[in-house]
Amino acid sequence: MTTENNLSENEEMKNSNEVSQEETSENTTVHDVTTHDNEAEHLEEEHVEADITLADALKEMEKIINTDNAGENFKTFNQLKEKASHYIHDEVEDKKHEYAEAGNAPENFSYEHPAQARFSALVNIFREKHDTYQKGQEEEQKKNLDHRQGIIERLKNLYTNSEPGINLFKSIREIKEDWSNAGQVAKSEFKILNNNYFHHLNQFYQMLDLNKEFLEQEYSHNLEKRQHIIARAQELQNEPVIQKALNELQYLHKLWKEEAEPVAEEFREKTWEEFKEISNKIHERKSELSAAIETEQNDSLEKKNQIIAEIKKLSEPSETPNHNYWQNSIKRVEDLRSEFLKTGSVPRKLSNQNWNDFKTTLRAFNTTKNNYYKSLKGSQQANLEEKLKLIQTAKDNMNNEEWEITVPLFKKLQEDWKKVGHVPKSMTNKIWDEFRDACNTFFNNYREKSNTSTDNWKENYKQKKDLLDELKTVTNEEGSIEKIEAVKTAWNNIGKVPRDKISINTEFNRTLREKLKLNKINELELKEEGLSENQLTDKARKIKSQISDLEAEITKLETNLAFFKNPSKDNPLLRDTFNTIDEKRSHLDTLRQNLHSIIAGE
């Protein structure tokens, strides 16, 4: 393709071989600079995007589609889309692997990733915006084509129909500036259009050669342009950001080619050699950029390999692991996984291997952990069967009144129950209720039969009635909680009441709940004495259940916070959540203290 550079030199230089040699050297250097700049840009883009997480990728995709010029960011959006799709696919595969590891048929696997709906919506919205942008680009390119064709007509008229007295120098400057600033046209139109423009520009220079005054003016103007370009290139040698220097150098070569030609023969080779030498020095700095990226990628590779090694170590414990070990390890592995994903890119040739090592190690950890809990479920099932036998023995003897035999039997049953290990969580409360009811039935019957002669039930009712009346007078003033605790302790130390008055217990419990609510205290936090062994056991069970529920609620809230980048109380949207977590932790500490007191017999 004929260029402006070629055409002007053909007209100005008598030796065509010399022209060919110079234009080849200039064009080659410009091409090399452009090529290396593009390589550097590619390295930088890959480096920047490599450490983005799924949440950040979706956030950036949403940010793009909310901009006015969303459609033109196709390349960036596509990179983010591929990154997000990659994460979603891998996480779904992990779930599928866990599903199969649990002994399920892989063909029955079904799982919808939580981010899939948002991801699909963002892709569809961008596709619509990009289509709209493309249509707008086509219309804009048609306008630009008409505009450029008009510029060519002006150029043609400048050397074919110039009126006497017209300032050719000023006119050609305006035409070249208009051409440089004109917008893009379709690629299919550009080649012919560009050739046409430079053909008529060559014709103009041929005409201009007949007018030495205008030619010298053109030479002088272009030489000044070259000197400005060389001066700016010299400044770029000290630019600290290598990528910025390379990008601007590419632009300077474009200016040289389009706006700094031709010049007088005596300056042509000298200025070009000076510019080319500076360009080569700047270009040599690209190795600094590559070296910096290579160093950073090697550091990232070492860090990621350390993470992989730590996960592998966690999946191969030196001693027999227990439940606490695996719970702590699960939390640590999740932290390591997040750290791995946030760590920067690694050398491209090792990227796939590093990622596969990470996924393989992660799956090995999950397999070992799952195998542990499978074996645990087996032992829990054996414990369940053992406790069911104890329940059956208790039920068979709960109405037996041979006290010398049955009282020691039930005490032993209670001791044996404590020695049996954990059972499946879904059955814990159910079997405990059955065992407790059988034991309570027996001991209530035993106390009723053995203490009837000594219990003054009517006096007990009178005392309980007085305590109920006293409880009803409690308000939420200072010291009310201590008063409630004193009433409850006194109540616990009073024996039975007549059967026709037993409803007083229900009324007392209802009133107690109302007063506790008024004073904003949980029943399980109440300090009381005089509880029987069964009552203490029942209270401990309730506290354990509430502790478990609170721990689950806190974990869920903290998991929700993890979806935000750098969550803190300073964020107005998250302040309530942090406060809720603090309140629940405080409540949790109180319950744990109460449970400890019960277990320790305090």
Side-chain angles (χ1 to χ4, degrees):
M1 182 181 75
T2 308
T3 65
E4 176 190 352
N5 189 27
N6 300 342
L7 291 168
S8 61
E9 289 176 354
N10 285 338
E11 181 60 28
E12 294 170 316
M13 302 180 66
K14 295 178 181 179
N15 190 329
S16 60
N17 291 332
E18 184 180 348
V19 171
S20 301
Q21 184 179 358
E22 179 176 347
E23 68 182 47
T24 301
S25 65
E26 289 197 23
N27 288 342
T28 301
T29 305
V30 173
H31 176 268
D32 288 345
V33 171
T34 304
T35 301
H36 289 300
D37 283 345
N38 290 339
E39 289 174 357
E41 288 172 2
H42 175 71
L43 285 171
E44 185 180 41
E45 285 174 2
E46 180 187 12
H47 177 66
V48 169
E49 297 295 340
D51 60 351
I52 197 167
T53 63
L54 173 59
D56 288 340
L58 294 175
K59 185 177 180 180
E60 289 299 316
M61 290 167 67
E62 186 172 352
K63 189 183 295 183
I64 288 176
I65 67 172
N66 286 329
T67 58
D68 295 334
N69 56 340
E72 69 177 302
N73 294 315
F74 176 78
K75 184 176 180 180
T76 302
F77 187 88
N78 221 32
Q79 289 174 340
L80 293 168
K81 182 184 76 173
E82 290 179 4
K83 184 66 66 174
S85 178
H86 179 70
Y87 280 138
I88 291 174
H89 175 268
D90 279 341
E91 290 180 20
V92 171
E93 285 298 309
D94 287 345
K95 292 290 184 182
K96 185 175 182 179
H97 180 77
E98 291 177 6
Y99 182 80
E101 282 289 321
N104 301 302
E107 59 270 18
N108 296 332
F109 175 75
S110 177
Y111 174 72
E112 177 74 16
H113 193 284
Q116 182 63 54
R118 183 184 176 196
F119 172 75
S120 300
L122 290 172
V123 171
N124 290 332
I125 293 172
F126 180 81
R127 186 180 293 118
E128 294 176 2
K129 293 204 171 190
H130 184 256
D131 290 343
T132 302
Y133 168 77
Q134 289 287 81
K135 292 176 182 177
Q137 283 292 99
E138 291 174 4
E139 294 175 0
E140 185 68 24
Q141 287 174 354
K142 288 179 183 178
K143 292 179 182 178
N144 294 338
L145 177 62
D146 293 338
H147 180 54
R148 286 186 179 270
Q149 288 173 339
I151 295 174
I152 292 173
E153 283 301 313
R154 285 166 54 198
L155 177 58
K156 182 179 178 182
N157 289 333
L158 190 61
Y159 69 84
T160 58
N161 300 315
S162 296
E163 298 179 2
I166 190 171
N167 189 332
L168 295 175
F169 176 75
K170 179 179 178 182
S171 297
I172 193 62
R173 295 264 61 79
E174 291 175 350
I175 287 173
K176 290 178 75 173
E177 185 175 352
D178 284 352
W179 183 266
S180 177
N181 295 330
Q184 293 183 344
V185 299
K187 289 184 179 180
S188 58
E189 302 281 355
F190 178 75
K191 185 174 180 179
I192 296 175
L193 189 70
N194 205 48
N195 284 345
N196 197 13
Y197 170 74
F198 282 113
H199 166 73
H200 289 294
L201 191 62
N202 182 52
Q203 295 296 107
F204 170 77
Y205 284 130
Q206 289 179 0
M207 180 274 290
L208 194 64
D209 193 36
L210 301 176
N211 190 323
K212 297 300 181 184
E213 179 183 351
F214 285 118
L215 186 59
E216 289 174 2
Q217 197 174 10
E218 179 77 354
Y219 280 171
S220 176
H221 176 83
N222 291 340
L223 179 60
E224 186 178 350
K225 277 270 188 181
R226 285 195 173 198
Q227 290 169 341
H228 282 306
I229 291 173
I230 290 171
R232 178 55 187 155
Q234 287 175 332
E235 293 175 3
L236 288 179
Q237 292 184 85
N238 300 319
E239 169 59 50
V241 182
I242 305 172
Q243 186 61 51
K244 181 180 178 182
L246 290 170
N247 291 344
E248 188 167 346
L249 179 65
Q250 183 181 356
Y251 173 69
L252 292 179
H253 273 268
K254 180 177 182 292
L255 286 182
W256 185 283
K257 180 179 177 182
E258 295 183 356
E259 299 186 19
E261 292 287 350
V263 296
E265 185 175 355
E266 60 194 274
F267 297 109
R268 181 180 297 112
E269 187 68 23
K270 177 184 176 183
T271 53
W272 169 247
E273 287 298 328
E274 185 177 1
F275 182 46
K276 184 171 67 171
E277 183 179 354
I278 296 172
S279 297
N280 289 338
K281 289 180 180 179
I282 296 173
H283 172 67
E284 287 171 1
R285 293 188 64 201
K286 177 180 169 292
S287 60
E288 297 177 30
L289 176 65
S290 300
I293 292 176
E294 182 179 359
T295 300
E296 190 171 344
Q297 288 181 338
N298 286 332
D299 290 343
S300 296
L301 177 62
E302 183 178 354
K303 187 174 181 180
K304 287 188 172 183
N305 284 337
Q306 289 174 352
I307 292 173
I308 292 171
E310 185 172 350
I311 295 175
K312 186 175 182 180
K313 186 177 180 181
L314 289 172
S315 63
E316 300 172 351
S318 56
E319 298 179 359
T320 303
N322 56 19
H323 172 69
N324 288 336
Y325 172 85
W326 285 113
Q327 289 303 303
N328 292 331
S329 296
I330 290 169
K331 188 175 184 303
R332 178 57 182 156
V333 167
E334 186 57 34
D335 292 340
L336 289 171
R337 180 180 179 277
S338 298
E339 187 178 350
F340 185 96
L341 296 178
K342 291 177 182 177
T343 303
S345 63
V346 302
R348 182 180 293 183
K349 62 182 179 180
L350 299 174
S351 179
N352 287 339
Q353 182 62 46
N354 181 252
W355 177 256
N356 289 335
D357 288 346
F358 173 66
K359 299 302 293 183
T360 301
T361 305
L362 204 58
R363 285 173 179 165
F365 171 84
N366 288 330
T367 298
T368 308
K369 177 256 299 181
N370 291 341
N371 287 339
Y372 167 79
Y373 281 106
K374 283 181 185 177
S375 65
L376 192 62
K377 287 180 180 178
S379 63
Q380 287 181 344
Q381 187 62 37
N383 292 339
L384 175 61
E385 293 174 2
E386 186 68 24
K387 286 194 172 184
L388 289 175
K389 292 178 181 178
L390 296 177
I391 292 171
Q392 189 58 49
T393 301
K395 287 182 176 181
D396 291 342
N397 292 276
M398 63 184 181
N399 295 317
N400 190 336
E401 297 183 1
E402 298 178 12
W403 310 127
E404 293 181 359
I405 298 174
T406 53
V407 170
L409 171 64
F410 271 86
K411 288 183 177 180
K412 186 175 185 306
L413 289 175
Q414 290 177 329
E415 291 174 1
D416 290 346
W417 183 276
K418 295 176 183 178
K419 294 176 183 178
V420 179
H422 293 288
V423 301
K425 192 172 182 179
S426 60
M427 296 294 293
T428 301
N429 291 338
K430 181 178 182 298
I431 62 171
W432 166 247
D433 289 341
E434 288 187 38
F435 182 69
R436 181 192 58 189
D437 290 344
C439 290
N440 286 347
T441 298
F442 170 77
F443 283 109
N444 288 338
N445 186 40
Y446 170 70
R447 281 193 294 269
E448 183 176 346
K449 295 292 177 66
S450 61
N451 297 330
T452 300
S453 59
T454 58
D455 272 350
N456 189 343
W457 289 5
K458 289 184 179 180
E459 181 61 26
N460 290 345
Y461 174 75
K462 182 178 181 303
Q463 292 178 17
K464 285 193 172 184
K465 183 69 170 62
D466 293 340
L467 287 173
L468 176 60
D469 293 339
E470 183 180 352
L471 182 62
K472 289 179 178 180
T473 65
V474 172
T475 62
N476 60 345
E477 62 186 6
E478 186 177 355
S480 294
I481 295 176
E482 289 77 5
K483 191 173 182 181
I484 294 173
E485 290 175 342
V487 170
K488 185 68 166 64
T489 296
W491 182 278
N492 292 337
N493 290 313
I494 297 175
K496 295 183 178 181
V497 298
R499 290 185 179 276
D500 60 338
K501 303 293 185 181
I502 201 169
S503 61
I504 193 173
N505 293 326
T506 303
E507 186 179 358
F508 177 83
N509 289 330
R510 184 178 65 251
T511 306
L512 178 64
R513 286 193 295 270
E514 291 174 355
K515 299 304 178 180
L516 291 173
K517 183 177 181 181
L518 178 64
N519 285 274
K520 298 179 180 178
I521 182 174
N522 189 289
E523 183 177 359
L524 298 178
E525 299 174 11
L526 198 64
K527 297 178 182 178
E528 51 183 320
E529 300 176 0
L531 293 174
S532 66
E533 183 178 349
N534 286 339
Q535 288 174 319
L536 284 171
T537 303
D538 188 49
K539 184 173 182 179
R541 182 184 64 81
K542 289 180 180 179
I543 292 177
K544 285 181 180 180
S545 177
Q546 191 160 356
I547 286 175
S548 178
D549 292 342
L550 273 175
E551 288 175 338
E553 290 173 14
I554 292 171
T555 300
K556 183 177 181 181
L557 289 170
E558 290 177 337
T559 300
N560 291 339
L561 287 175
F563 287 104
F564 293 87
K565 187 176 183 180
N566 300 325
S568 71
K569 285 188 178 181
D570 295 334
N571 188 333
L573 298 176
L574 304 180
R575 190 175 296 122
D576 289 344
T577 302
F578 276 104
N579 290 338
T580 301
I581 291 175
D582 290 342
E583 291 174 3
K584 289 184 181 295
R585 284 193 181 280
S586 176
H587 187 194
L588 183 63
D589 290 340
T590 302
L591 289 177
R592 283 172 174 164
Q593 291 174 3
N594 290 347
L595 180 60
H596 175 75
S597 298
I598 292 175
I599 295 174
E602 298 175 356

